Amino acid sequence: MGTHAAPRTRRPTLFAALGACLLGALFGIPRADGAPRSGDACRTTGPAMPRGDCGPFWQVLAEDFEGDRVPLGSFRDCDHHVDTSAAYCGGLSGSYRDNWWAYPTGWRDTANDRRRAVAGVYHPEDTVSVGPAENGDGRLRIRMWRPDDGGPVHAAAVVPRAVMQMKYGKYSARIKVTQLAPGYKSAWLHYGGGCEMDHPEGEWTGTLSAFHHPCGGGEQGYYHGADDWTEWHTVSTEWTPGRVRFFVDGRQVGHDTRNVPNRPLSWVLQNESALEGPTAAPGSSAKLEVTWVTAYAYGWK
């Protein structure tokens, strides 16, 4: 199916970021600097998963991964009705089959298009699992790795089926990188039709940020969210008509109103090989854990 990944997404250098801020001041482009530090619509700040509707949002997914275990190997045979709300992984069963899909084995990650020395291929069957942590808390685990022989990174992109091809909404998760190594990153995104919103995004050894690429082109909006992926963070995106807002731990870190998407898009929890900095070493691995995911439709009242 070709590459399904985030085009153009880069963490700007210091000078690029400063220049972007100056342009924003001159031309009224919304930036994270000085953005109101109000909570999101559900006041999603702590470790507990929010339940129920809030503001103009209607909750359509609340997954705390406390149900059945999903061992490695279960996210297989995912090449069914791809990129549609009917997509599914034949290796899954029960609620996980109903609620989750993953990019099929063999799809290439973004680094292939960037001609990076080390790129990745999606392998959900040996990267994605669900099970309890030592304290009993249910977790979705995404463990990416590179073979000892120096082959491509085994990457993972999982997709909540309830919000595939949905227009507007609120999207939240609580995440932490629990095993760190250079060469791995996330770009959880909505994209299509020349539009793109990414949150959270960044190399796991760097900072956690958000990006907005206005539909039809134009300067990207860049918003710093947190300094460290290895701490627990609650991340949220609120996408409403003509506006997108990004939150980390309940704090608004950025917003944009320039050519915000007004078409249905899927939410892709994309994790892949790094686009900047060191590449993944042979035999290395890194792991992201997710303790809950929630999603909401917009305009239910």
Side-chain angles (χ1 to χ4, degrees):
M1 299 299 296
T3 299
H4 283 61
R8 306 181 313 281
T9 46
R10 295 278 189 178
R11 185 172 65 253
T13 64
L14 175 61
F15 294 109
L18 290 173
C21 291
L22 290 173
L23 285 172
L26 288 172
F27 298 104
I29 298 172
R31 309 302 297 178
D33 305 20
R37 294 184 174 238
S38 59
D40 66 16
C42 297
R43 300 297 188 265
T44 312
T45 59
M49 182 179 72
R51 294 186 180 275
D53 308 331
C54 48
F57 298 105
W58 169 36
Q59 192 170 58
V60 295
L61 174 68
E63 176 61 77
D64 60 8
F65 306 107
E66 298 291 350
D68 296 336
R69 298 188 183 209
V70 181
L72 285 175
S74 301
F75 273 85
R76 67 179 186 276
D77 187 27
C78 297
D79 205 358
H80 300 278
H81 307 295
V82 299
D83 275 346
T84 73
S85 58
Y88 68 92
C89 295
L92 294 175
S93 61
S95 64
Y96 286 103
R97 181 171 176 144
D98 293 340
N99 293 331
W100 294 92
W101 177 61
Y103 281 0
T105 300
W107 283 13
R108 303 184 310 155
D109 76 3
T110 314
N112 289 274
D113 289 346
R114 303 291 177 82
R115 300 188 182 278
R116 290 273 287 176
V118 176
V121 174
Y122 291 108
H123 281 277
E125 78 286 351
D126 60 23
T127 55
V128 183
S129 63
V130 176
E134 290 183 0
N135 65 359
D137 180 38
R139 307 268 177 88
L140 170 69
R141 292 185 176 87
I142 297 168
R143 178 183 176 271
M144 296 189 287
W145 56 283
R146 190 178 178 204
D148 291 336
D149 64 7
V153 165
H154 285 221
V158 293
V159 184
R161 293 184 61 199
V163 291
M164 292 184 75
Q165 293 302 304
M166 188 170 79
K167 185 177 178 180
Y168 308 130
K170 175 179 169 60
Y171 309 86
S172 301
R174 188 154 178 87
I175 64 172
K176 178 181 180 179
V177 170
T178 57
Q179 179 182 339
L180 192 63
Y184 302 92
K185 71 163 292 186
S186 289
W188 291 18
L189 74 159
H190 293 81
Y191 82 105
C195 310
E196 186 174 328
M197 302 174 292
D198 307 85
H199 182 50
E201 178 174 3
E203 277 66 34
W204 289 354
T205 52
T207 59
L208 184 155
S209 302
F211 294 84
H212 175 235
H213 302 277
C215 300
E219 183 191 0
Q220 71 175 7
Y222 159 70
Y223 315 98
H224 174 263
D227 293 331
D228 193 346
W229 286 81
T230 62
E231 301 290 337
W232 281 108
H233 292 295
T234 298
V235 294
S236 297
T237 299
E238 292 185 3
W239 170 31
T240 55
R243 189 180 191 192
V244 59
R245 301 199 297 166
F246 303 107
F247 298 85
V248 176
D249 300 327
R251 176 176 59 92
Q252 181 175 302
V253 298
H255 72 283
D256 209 339
T257 58
R258 298 170 300 136
N259 295 325
V260 174
N262 63 356
R263 54 175 286 166
L265 298 172
S266 297
W267 186 30
V268 182
L269 283 53
Q270 179 178 267
N271 311 277
E272 56 184 7
S273 55
L275 300 181
E276 298 179 350
T279 58
S284 69
S285 64
K287 182 167 59 180
L288 175 76
E289 298 192 16
V290 185
T291 188
W292 54 258
V293 173
T294 59
Y296 306 74
Y298 171 75
W300 62 280
K301 290 184 178 179

